[in-house]
Amino acid sequence: MLQATAAPSPLTNPAFSQTYFAAYRWMLLARLLEEKIASLYRGGKITGGVFLGRGQEALSVAVGLALRAGDVFAPLIRDQAGRLAFGESLLDCTRTYMGSRLGPMRGRDGNVHRGRPREGMFAMISHLGAMIPAVAGALLARRFRGITGTVGATCLGDGATSTGAFHEGLNMAAVEKLPLVLVVANNQYAYSTPNARQFACADLVDKAAGYGVTGHRLDATDLETCLRVLHKAVADARDGGGPQLVVASLLRLAGHGEHDDSHYIDERLRESRLGLDCLKVAEQRLLAEGWADAAALRGVEINAQRQIDEAVATTLREAAPDPNEEDWCALATRHLSEASHAE
Amino acid sequence: MITYLEAIREAQARALADDPRVYIYGQDVGSFGGAFKATKNLAQEFPGRVLDAPISEDAMVGSAIGAAIEGMRPIIEMQFADFSTVGFNQIVNHAATLHWRTNVPCPITIRLPSGGTAGAGPFHSQSMEALYAHYPGLIVMTPATVEDAYSMLLDAVAIDDPVIFCEHKYLYYHLKAEALPTEAMPTGKARIARAGRDATIVTYSAMLHESLACAEELALEGWEIEVIDLRTIKPLDTDTVLASVARTGRLLAVGEAFPWGGVTAEVVARVATEGFGLLDAPPMRLNAKDTPVPYHPNLWGTHRPTAKTISARMRDLLRLLGKDEG
Ligand SMILES: Cc1ncc(C[n+]2csc(CCOP(=O)(O)OP(=O)(O)O)c2C)c(N)n1
Ligand SMILES: [Mg+2]
């Protein structure tokens, strides 16, 4: 039976510096992994799209770290760091991007559309907002099943707050007082569309009041802030506080996908606080506080690079899916499948 | 040379220029020019008439209906056909029923970047034409050529009914024509894309090109395959299909959509019910497989029909009932 275990707070000293450093390691691993994915894409080893979370690692890792085994997590396109921190393997990422049969998606779905629902990590569909009610439903099921003390978190962008699914999902979670944490990465743009064309409220967190849920606002270029706010939001949800709407301000330091040069992003935003690279900020903090020295950071990087190289090398050796061996059946109820005569 | 995608852009430019009632609404269609650049520079050329929409497909379609009631001619761009399901309610229940219920027409055009491309996966690849064609009150266009992409989109805007315009992403960049057409076949008429006498392929959109390649291949074996491009799947030009089957006696209907029901089933049903006596062999169909559209190019390439699999199915059809002397 699923049951989350209680842990001592990782956010007070002396544990805090370790938590911070651990978070940084996931962030760096995510950053370097995504850089590798981007280069594989440019080299023609990945077909389709590549979507990076560059600049959003601090927020994402904080979500992953605030959750525990037994919780539900539905990450979105820019959550490589949070996925790793929650427990996704590097191979799940590389195999899905390269379409390996051995990956969780078996070549059927690709890139960021991956997960292991049985292990609490949902596999996003592209339709924005759609994961919110699904996570709410998982939490409802836990109530039916008598499982307490677990939470569900899902991430989305500023643009996804304009969907009907966002409204319906958050509202129903509020009505049922579900332990849902909704993390909005407000990176100021949805593809090319700036916030001014997306919503008219002064701050997205204002929406929390309308739904009758608790709102949290934060600057997501700062890792400590991310860790503290996400820790609190998740703890409050876990303690019966109902849905939590977390709105984080930041900038995406990459194109919408790797095909996009993001020329439309306002230079003034890039030069503002929002344009800070959370990874660099965290690195400077580690050094300034003496929590790590240059040699230690170098060690982290070498170790990360080695793990990535291993995962990529393994994946590149794996056979591509063979259509003749593929099981062309979409149903779990196999005897009801029409695959043999429908084509 | 002009591409299929540029033709779509040019048709919208002309619609905006010719008719002040036209405006374009969709995600990233403004100064960015759209995810595929189908509205490139239109916001600059037609200030205030090409607007970025929030990620709200239901509201995009719903607002178009209201604007149409007020006399406008909206063009709605879905970023991908797959996301039109979020606006499905407004399309099939509101737009499609409006004229029938109120006698007020609903002249909206909804552009769906449709169909599969390698690596696009289950949510950026779907062919949704049959779903919309199922509903009374909608017109569904599926242009297969640069010329049709241009002239049919202009027609879509001019028509007093809601038009679902299924433009195929696979054709966007590599399908090219010398110039934009100056005249066009009327909407609702199918086109004989290649004349033949041994069998008829009825198809549309990207599958036209796979089917023409199949006809080319079988020609080397001495078969003359007639290929019909439906152009619009609703209305479906049954007369042209029946006339062709009357000449050839054999029918293979080919589509890229999922196999259950759909355009190919409709074509076969019409020929079987209205032209049974014309057939020398049982009618056949070939569609995508009955699974979501897979991501990996190897799987995707097998999921959809290709010239090769169409040819294989066509050889089966030609072998039936003794026409195999080829
Ligand atoms: C319902 C729906 N409509 C359109 C899209 C196409 N689309 C994919 S990502 C995107 C922009 C998302 O912006 P945002 O939610 O702010 O997330 P970000 O990419 O900035 O992280 C759009 C419009 C989609 N995935 N789902
Ligand atoms: Mg955004």
Side-chain angles (χ1 to χ4, degrees):
Chain A
M1 181 113 300
L2 293 164
Q3 184 75 57
T5 49
S9 171
L11 295 183
T12 48
N13 273 319
F16 178 67
S17 57
Q18 284 155 31
T19 304
Y20 194 95
F21 195 18
Y24 171 81
R25 283 196 292 270
W26 290 125
M27 289 167 67
L28 184 68
L29 184 60
R31 175 73 60 92
L32 296 174
L33 173 60
E34 291 197 330
E35 279 173 6
K36 183 70 189 175
I37 293 289
S39 85
L40 289 165
Y41 170 74
R42 287 191 295 271
K45 298 277 185 220
I46 291 171
T47 321
V50 163
F51 305 91
L52 306 187
R54 193 182 176 87
Q56 305 195 182
E57 292 95 339
L59 175 67
S60 183
V61 78
V63 182
L65 288 175
L67 300 173
R68 303 174 188 158
D71 288 339
V72 174
F73 183 31
L76 218 76
I77 44 179
R78 311 202 190 277
D79 281 314
Q80 186 57 56
R83 289 171 180 271
L84 291 168
F86 188 68
E88 183 183 78
S89 70
L90 291 163
L91 279 173
D92 274 11
C93 170
T94 55
R95 284 175 164 157
T96 304
Y97 262 111
M98 287 187 261
S100 165
R101 278 186 74 181
L102 302 179
M105 310 312 283
R106 298 167 289 168
R108 293 179 178 184
D109 208 344
N111 50 64
V112 291
H113 302 86
R114 62 180 194 267
R116 293 183 179 267
R118 286 244 186 275
E119 290 159 40
M121 187 177 285
F122 283 15
M124 62 175 277
I125 67 166
S126 299
H127 297 60
L128 294 167
M131 302 314 288
I132 302 169
V135 174
L139 299 170
L140 196 61
R142 290 184 173 191
R143 197 168 78 196
F144 288 132
R145 295 167 64 201
I147 299 167
T148 54
T150 65
V151 306
T154 184
C155 302
L156 56 147
D158 38 273
T161 65
S162 303
T163 61
F166 170 87
H167 165 74
E168 295 182 24
L170 182 51
N171 183 61
M172 76 80 78
V175 168
E176 295 294 343
K177 252 185 159 301
L178 297 170
L180 174 75
V181 181
L182 212 58
V183 183
V184 180
N186 178 5
N187 59 14
Q188 321 298 319
Y189 288 85
Y191 206 159
S192 76
T193 304
N195 282 352
R197 295 290 309 166
Q198 195 67 245
F199 53 86
C201 51
D203 190 319
L204 278 177
V205 83
D206 297 345
K207 296 199 177 196
Y211 292 102
V213 304
T214 308
H216 308 254
R217 184 201 295 122
L218 69 142
D219 164 6
T221 62
D222 180 59
L223 175 58
E224 175 170 357
T225 308
C226 293
L227 291 170
R228 291 198 184 284
V229 173
L230 265 300
H231 185 79
K232 176 163 172 46
V234 168
D236 288 355
R238 209 183 294 285
D239 293 345
Q244 310 285 315
L245 178 66
V246 179
V247 177
S249 302
L250 72 176
L251 211 56
R252 125 164 94 66
L253 303 180
H256 172 66
E258 279 305 271
H259 59 277
D260 171 34
D261 64 9
S262 60
H263 61 273
Y264 44 80
I265 291 185
D266 189 337
E267 258 324 301
R268 282 163 305 183
L269 276 177
R270 287 191 205 275
E271 283 154 19
S272 76
R273 220 201 120 67
L274 289 178
L276 290 178
D277 179 350
C278 60
L279 187 69
K280 287 275 160 312
V281 173
E283 190 179 302
Q284 282 154 15
R285 175 88 190 276
L286 281 169
L287 293 170
E289 301 273 3
W291 294 337
D293 60 15
L297 294 186
R298 183 78 194 120
V300 171
E301 186 178 340
I302 290 168
N303 181 40
Q305 205 60 64
R306 185 187 45 75
Q307 292 180 58
I308 292 162
D309 291 346
E310 248 173 54
V312 170
T314 302
T315 307
L316 283 172
R317 279 195 301 272
E318 289 166 2
D322 178 347
N324 296 315
E325 285 171 27
E326 172 70 7
D327 179 21
W328 295 100
C329 172
L331 291 181
T333 317
R334 299 194 64 86
H335 71 279
L336 296 182
S337 169
E338 295 192 313
S340 56
H341 52 94
E343 177 172 296
Chain B
M1 293 297 266
I2 180 157
T3 65
Y4 182 93
L5 179 64
E6 286 161 353
I8 288 165
R9 190 258 172 214
E10 291 310 311
Q12 293 181 103
R14 174 144 164 223
L16 285 162
D18 288 357
D19 188 341
R21 300 170 302 175
V22 174
Y23 71 95
I24 300 178
Y25 196 43
Q27 288 136 23
D28 305 292
V29 299
S31 55
F32 187 62
F36 295 100
K37 298 286 168 265
T39 56
K40 188 174 174 184
N41 288 332
L42 294 181
Q44 292 84 339
E45 284 170 33
F46 301 94
R49 295 172 64 196
V50 185
L51 306 179
D52 286 327
I55 305 178
S56 305
E57 285 79 5
D58 184 271
M60 281 155 52
V61 181
S63 65
I65 296 166
I69 291 171
E70 285 291 306
M72 303 296 281
R73 302 243 154 195
I75 300 175
I76 301 299
E77 176 180 299
M78 292 288 164
Q79 201 153 80
F80 284 81
D82 313 56
F83 301 128
S84 72
T85 51
V86 182
F88 196 67
N89 179 47
Q90 292 284 4
I91 300 173
V92 306
N93 287 317
H94 199 175
T97 66
L98 187 73
H99 179 251
W100 181 78
R101 292 186 301 120
T102 67
N103 215 24
V104 173
C106 188
I108 68 179
T109 300
I110 304 178
R111 291 183 34 238
L112 306 189
S114 301
T117 53
F123 312 113
H124 293 77
S125 300
Q126 291 173 52
S127 300
M128 321 222 26
E129 58 276 359
L131 216 52
Y132 292 111
H134 184 69
Y135 279 88
L138 300 175
I139 288 168
V140 184
M141 298 183 174
T142 51
T145 65
V146 176
E147 292 81 357
D148 276 352
Y150 180 77
S151 59
M152 287 167 72
L153 184 48
L154 282 170
D155 250 7
V157 175
I159 284 172
D160 273 343
D161 286 294
V163 177
I164 309 298
F165 190 81
C166 303
E167 48 193 63
H168 204 295
K169 302 192 294 292
Y170 191 73
L171 306 178
Y172 269 171
Y173 310 101
H174 70 245
L175 198 63
K176 296 189 177 90
E178 286 301 329
L180 291 173
T182 47
E183 50 187 43
M185 289 180 73
T187 287
K189 288 298 278 178
R191 181 175 68 95
I192 298 175
R194 179 185 175 115
R197 49 143 216 246
D198 294 320
T200 299
I201 295 178
V202 175
T203 189
Y204 59 99
S205 192
M207 284 299 134
L208 172 69
H209 305 283
E210 300 293 331
S211 300
L212 288 171
C214 153
E216 199 68 36
E217 184 184 327
L218 292 178
L220 300 175
E221 299 165 22
W223 298 107
E224 289 181 32
I225 309 299
E226 181 145 301
V227 180
I228 294 186
D229 172 9
L230 287 173
R231 302 176 70 243
T232 64
I233 57 122
K234 191 171 192 179
L236 197 156
D237 182 1
T238 315
D239 291 344
T240 298
V241 172
L242 286 171
S244 174
V245 175
R247 286 190 292 277
T248 65
R250 271 147 220 270
L251 170 69
L252 172 61
V254 178
E256 186 184 324
F258 301 132
W260 199 97
V263 178
T264 60
E266 187 65 30
V267 168
V268 167
R270 290 191 190 194
V271 171
T273 52
E274 296 172 45
F276 190 72
L278 306 173
L279 289 164
D280 295 332
M284 285 192 165
R285 49 198 289 261
L286 185 63
N287 304 286
K289 292 187 189 298
D290 194 27
T291 71
V293 185
Y295 164 73
H296 194 283
N298 286 1
L299 300 180
W300 173 70
T302 301
H303 183 265
R304 73 198 271 269
T306 58
K308 205 170 138 227
T309 58
I310 299 168
S311 296
R313 186 64 52 102
M314 181 50 90
R315 287 194 187 91
D316 290 344
L317 178 62
L318 292 166
R319 268 195 291 274
L320 284 169
L321 301 181
K323 252 205 181 181
D324 57 354
E325 65 280 3

